[in-house]
């Protein structure tokens, strides 16, 4: 082989970046996912702690129970 052909082949086959992509990509992805989920969790926590309280508790009617009745309110009519 000529020196020019060897140099051209070396430039074409030098794929260290592609060979190390899984080795570098896996930890990088894990760190990135950890950072993103941490930011989202922190934002949710801040919203719950300092956000407005909803009026859902005030709007929900109380549950009415009838202890004197032994009838299951969820059974079909005419049963029992």
């Amino acid at each position: 082989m000529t020196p020019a052909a060897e140099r051209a082949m070396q430039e074409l086959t030098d794929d260290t970046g592609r060979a190390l992509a899984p080795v570098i990509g896996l930890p990088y992805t894990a760190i990135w996912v950890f950072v993103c989920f941490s930011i989202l969790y922190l934002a949710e926590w801040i919203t719950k702690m300092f956000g407005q309280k909803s009026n859902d508790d005030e709007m929900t009617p109380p549950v009415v129970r009838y202890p004197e009745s032994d009838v299951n309110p969820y059974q079909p009519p005419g049963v029992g």
Side-chain angles (χ1 to χ4, degrees):
M1 278 182 115
T2 64
E6 283 185 27
R7 201 172 332 114
M9 189 175 71
Q10 185 65 28
E11 288 176 9
L12 259 169
T13 60
D14 187 23
D15 59 353
T16 307
R18 281 188 280 162
L20 290 178
V23 175
I24 294 173
L26 192 63
Y28 181 76
T29 302
I31 292 169
W32 185 247
V33 167
F34 175 76
V35 167
C36 288
F37 273 97
S38 298
I39 290 171
L40 291 174
Y41 179 77
L42 184 64
E44 181 183 1
W45 182 78
I46 289 172
T47 307
K48 283 182 181 178
M49 293 301 290
F50 301 111
Q52 272 187 333
K53 291 188 176 184
S54 66
N55 293 335
D56 289 343
D57 295 336
E58 297 170 7
M59 301 291 288
T60 306
V63 176
V64 179
R65 304 211 186 267
Y66 300 103
E68 66 274 352
S69 175
D70 290 335
V71 179
N72 182 357
Y74 300 106
Q75 69 186 8
V79 175

